[in-house]
């Protein structure tokens, strides 16, 4: 008798290599039915950049499946009824998927699992999105870690124990039809990124060959472009963190790179793990302050100021350059994200949720855990709180991390000819310097929307109210 089909329900694991759910499905049956369901009722609506990325990634996955004899089925609508209809159509006896850890998905999966099991199907979720399952890393008292350093130390003592699983060589054709895959139309983003598993692997290889050896020293310098840019690929599971882990360890063990560079890079992957476990244990992370005393914070939320920030018109070049990078490429370097976020929260006293929502809309790597955990970290309202009195100075941060101004000039060509001395505070330049550089403040580049010193004093006063809260 022919083997009963297994439905492989793809979600944020859009890859064939090291996909334990797919591997198990292919081991169980020759008849694997790959499906993606776009259920807009579950979780937060995707932003513009994420919709583009996902569409392109689904096309890449479909092409990879076709190379192996199969293809991706795509449906829009309710997950439960779509899966039930597919079970009926195919006579599948099992549904497999890779686990996610955000509250909306977890709740839906739990209900679905009991429903499918009650109908006599095997419904099984697999690890693969993270190196460590959130519940596998615990403090001595058995609870979750709240601070990154001891969390990652604990992870390092565990080490990932799952082995990488291979891509199935071939998959039987299923002969089924579905709705057409969504179109991916965005020439601007397509000029910067190659969504899909091949793009992810090429990016990893390039990073390992050319940049990892200087990662620890240079990762904070945005002009050097040496970080991996794997974040959107990880977001959609086009590459597994375990594949990255082993590739880095291999490079370290063969003596190609220093121990420190590899360890530093893996600890950044660790921040992704940490954020995922924060969300898992704190389902309200995306919209409520983890530290409730922040609920009383005196945000000023001035619409004209936050609009200037959103449109990259703050008059502080390192902030505006970062926001332009985001507008043009769907990405922003991590150091600049911190400066830009700190400016919104501390200089403009704007609720972090406003910035989080803009990033969610525009980032190609917009991630339910990483984005909210990072915004709360910058605000100081998160678990691993940064000291509130740390208020980044956008002038000295620019000078320190973009010392020759290359990054800032790349995104602000109107300041192309302004000397480094004035680049991060154009309003301090003498009029003749501005004229010679072609900078007309208030015309082709704005005056600063707030005065740094005054804003700093105001922020300190606002944050001081929390001490008594
Ligand atoms: P690399 O330096 O090469 O790091 C490797 C990988 O580690 C990244 O791809 C990412 O998956 C992970 N990582 C690195 N730093 C962090 C971090 N601080 N927190 C969590 N994971 C990290 N990252 C996202 O993936 N999605 C987001 O929506 C997101 N929003 C952010 C918002 C703010 C305000 C800040 C300050 C940071 C945010 N980050 C987010 C974290 C970080 O900026 C990006 O992961 C990083 O810039 C991606 O570039 P990369 O792949 O070249 O990083």
């Amino acid at each position: 008798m022919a083997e009963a089909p297994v439905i492989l329900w793809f979600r944020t694991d859009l890859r064939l290599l090291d996909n334990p759910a797919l591997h198990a499905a292919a081991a169980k049956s020759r008849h694997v039915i790959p499906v993606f369901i776009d259920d807009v009722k579950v979780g937060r609506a995707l932003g513009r950049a994420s919709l583009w990325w996902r569409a392109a990634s689904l096309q890449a996955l479909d092409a990879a499946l076709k190379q192996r004899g199969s293809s991706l089925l795509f449906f829009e609508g309710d997950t439960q009824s779509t899966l039930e209809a597919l079970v009926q159509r195919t006579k599948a006896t099992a549904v497999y998927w890779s686990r996610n850890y955000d509250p909306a998905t977890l709740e839906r999966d739990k209900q679905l699992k009991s429903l499918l099991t009650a109908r006599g199907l095997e419904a099984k979720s697999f690890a693969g999105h993270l190196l460590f399952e959130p519940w596998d890393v615990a403090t001595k008292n058995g609870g979750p870690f709240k601070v990154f350093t001891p969390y990652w130390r604990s992870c390092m003592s565990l080490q990932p124990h799952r082995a990488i699983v291979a891509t199935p060589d071939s998959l039987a054709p299923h002969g089924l039809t579905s709705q057409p895959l969504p179109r991916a139309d965005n020439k601007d983003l397509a000029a910067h990124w190659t969504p899909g598993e091949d793009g992810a692997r090429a990016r990893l290889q390039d990073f390992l060959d050319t940049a990892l050896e200087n990662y620890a020293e240079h990762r904070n310098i945005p002009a050097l472009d040496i970080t991996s840019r794997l974040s959107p690929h990880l977001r959609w599971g086009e590459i597994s963190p375990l594949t990255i882990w082993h590739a880095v360890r291999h490079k370290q063990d063969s003596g190609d790179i220093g121990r420190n560079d590899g360890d530093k890079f893996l600890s950044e992957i660790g921040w992704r793990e940490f954020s995922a476990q924060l969300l898992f244990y704190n389902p309200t992370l995306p919209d409520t302050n983890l530290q409730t005393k922040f609920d009383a914070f005196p945000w000023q939320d001035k619409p004209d100021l936050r609009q200037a920030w959103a449109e990259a018109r703050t008059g502080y070049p390192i902030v505006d350059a970062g926001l332009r990078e985001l507008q043009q490429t769907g990405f922003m370097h991590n150091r600049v994200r911190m400066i830009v976020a700190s400016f919104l929260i501390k200089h403009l006293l704007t609720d972090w949720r406003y910035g989080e929502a803009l990033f969610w809309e525009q980032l190609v790597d917009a991630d339910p855990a990483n984005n909210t955990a990072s915004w709360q970290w910058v605000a100081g309202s998160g678990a691993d709180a940064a000291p509130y009195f740390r208020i980044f100075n956008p002038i000295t941060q620019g000078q320190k991390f973009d010392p020759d101004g290359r990054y800032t000039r790349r995104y602000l060509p109107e300041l192309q000819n302004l000397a480094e001395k004035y680049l991060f505070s154009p309003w301090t330049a003498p009029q003749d310097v501005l004229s010679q550089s072609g900078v007309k403040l208030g015309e082709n580049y704005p005056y600063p929307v707030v005065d740094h010193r005054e804003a700093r004093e105001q922020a300190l006063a606002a944050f001081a109210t929390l001490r008594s809260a």
Side-chain angles (χ1 to χ4, degrees):
M1 206 180 103
E3 283 165 333
V6 177
I7 294 174
L8 193 275
W9 174 24
F10 280 106
R11 298 130 57 97
T12 60
D13 56 335
L14 307 182
R15 65 175 181 274
L16 303 187
L17 175 67
D18 195 34
N19 186 328
L22 171 64
H23 191 258
K28 189 178 169 72
S29 169
R30 265 179 42 73
H31 302 285
V32 175
I33 318 279
V35 63
F36 185 93
I37 303 165
D38 184 9
D39 184 349
V40 292
K41 287 201 312 312
V42 177
R44 184 174 179 181
L46 292 181
R48 189 170 7 105
S50 298
L51 279 171
W52 171 76
W53 189 288
R54 191 185 67 178
S57 189
L58 289 174
Q59 286 176 9
L61 179 64
D62 183 46
L65 286 166
K66 281 182 173 139
Q67 272 180 9
R68 286 168 179 77
S70 184
S71 66
L72 183 64
L73 298 171
F74 174 84
F75 300 100
E76 273 171 0
D78 176 64
T79 305
Q80 183 187 321
S81 47
T82 306
L83 281 176
E84 283 179 334
L86 198 57
V87 166
Q88 273 219 327
R89 237 168 116 186
T90 59
K91 307 282 177 282
T93 55
V95 183
Y96 287 1
W97 67 87
S98 301
R99 223 167 279 142
N100 287 96
Y101 306 90
D102 61 288
T105 311
L106 275 170
E107 183 52 37
R108 190 266 320 267
D109 292 352
K110 214 168 91 189
Q111 288 175 10
L112 210 59
K113 199 171 201 164
S114 43
L115 197 128
L116 293 171
T117 313
R119 305 241 157 120
L121 286 141
E122 186 194 5
K124 203 166 167 186
S125 68
F126 291 79
H129 188 67
L130 297 173
L131 290 167
F132 303 96
E133 295 296 271
W135 46 87
D136 284 346
V137 189
T139 63
K140 277 200 206 81
N141 303 328
F145 282 96
K146 294 199 168 127
V147 178
F148 175 73
T149 307
Y151 166 80
W152 191 237
R153 206 180 301 125
S154 177
C155 291
M156 289 303 88
S157 69
L158 293 171
Q159 300 285 316
H161 40 70
R162 186 174 69 74
I164 288 184
V165 294
T167 303
D169 290 334
S170 68
L171 294 163
H174 48 64
L176 300 166
T177 54
S178 71
Q179 293 170 2
L181 290 174
R183 287 164 61 93
D185 288 332
N186 191 321
K187 287 203 191 72
D188 295 337
L189 292 179
H192 295 279
W193 301 98
T194 311
E197 188 165 8
D198 289 350
R201 300 247 285 279
R203 194 158 288 268
L204 174 63
Q205 198 54 52
D206 186 45
F207 172 68
L208 294 174
D209 292 345
T210 65
L212 180 55
E213 61 187 340
N214 293 314
Y215 183 81
E217 191 187 342
H218 290 159
R219 58 183 281 273
N220 270 314
I221 309 292
L224 296 178
D225 293 321
I226 68 116
T227 64
S228 71
R229 292 182 174 240
L230 282 165
S231 49
H233 299 287
L234 279 162
R235 157 70 170 107
W236 289 102
E238 298 167 357
I239 191 162
S240 76
L242 194 65
T243 303
I244 298 174
W245 170 278
H246 283 298
V248 171
R249 284 290 188 238
H250 177 72
K251 196 98 178 142
Q252 287 178 312
D253 294 345
S254 58
D256 279 1
I257 54 153
R259 206 81 218 161
N260 190 27
D261 289 298
D263 286 358
K264 184 75 201 154
F265 175 67
L266 290 177
S267 80
E268 295 304 316
I269 302 279
W271 275 99
R272 174 178 180 269
E273 303 274 320
F274 183 60
S275 303
Q277 70 99 39
L278 272 183
L279 178 57
F280 176 75
Y281 284 111
N282 303 282
T284 61
L285 182 76
D287 35 41
T288 46
N289 297 303
L290 270 193
Q291 294 186 41
T292 48
K293 66 178 178 190
F294 269 79
D295 294 349
F297 189 83
W299 300 114
Q300 292 193 350
D301 282 337
K302 294 193 174 144
D304 52 337
L305 290 184
R306 58 173 200 233
Q307 192 65 19
W309 179 87
E311 292 172 4
R313 292 187 283 104
T314 68
Y316 285 90
I318 190 70
V319 175
D320 294 338
L323 288 158
R324 288 245 186 110
E325 180 184 18
L326 177 62
Q327 289 165 357
Q328 290 172 21
T329 71
F331 185 83
M332 194 192 299
H333 184 277
N334 180 58
R335 166 59 49 181
V336 191
R337 288 187 205 205
M338 291 198 283
I339 301 171
V340 162
S342 169
F343 188 85
L344 180 77
I345 294 167
K346 300 193 174 169
H347 285 72
L348 305 185
L349 289 175
T350 297
D351 192 324
W352 60 266
R353 283 163 281 220
Y354 175 81
E356 195 274 342
L358 184 119
F359 271 32
W360 179 260
E361 177 67 19
Q362 297 188 7
L363 277 173
V364 283
D365 64 18
D367 182 273
N370 297 351
N371 200 34
T372 39
S374 300
W375 275 94
Q376 293 230 36
W377 184 83
V378 177
S381 61
D384 194 2
Y388 67 82
F389 47 82
R390 187 197 288 159
I391 296 177
F392 283 149
N393 176 333
I395 305 161
T396 53
Q397 287 283 308
Q399 289 162 340
K400 185 166 174 199
F401 294 109
D402 191 22
D404 59 7
R406 221 160 16 110
Y407 172 83
T408 301
R409 292 197 182 92
R410 189 190 299 164
Y411 292 106
L412 300 178
E414 57 272 47
L415 302 183
Q416 189 69 34
N417 299 318
L418 191 59
E420 266 93 274
K421 187 170 174 201
Y422 304 111
L423 183 61
F424 298 101
S425 53
W427 64 93
T428 61
Q431 192 48 53
D432 60 325
V433 171
L434 288 174
S435 310
Q436 279 160 21
S437 321
V439 179
K440 293 195 183 103
L441 287 179
E443 288 183 36
N444 63 358
Y445 190 71
Y447 285 103
V449 287
V450 289
D451 174 78
H452 167 63
R453 261 172 222 274
E454 282 171 22
R456 185 185 145 76
E457 290 310 312
Q458 272 196 23
L460 286 173
F463 276 90
T465 63
L466 293 178
R467 264 184 295 182
S468 48

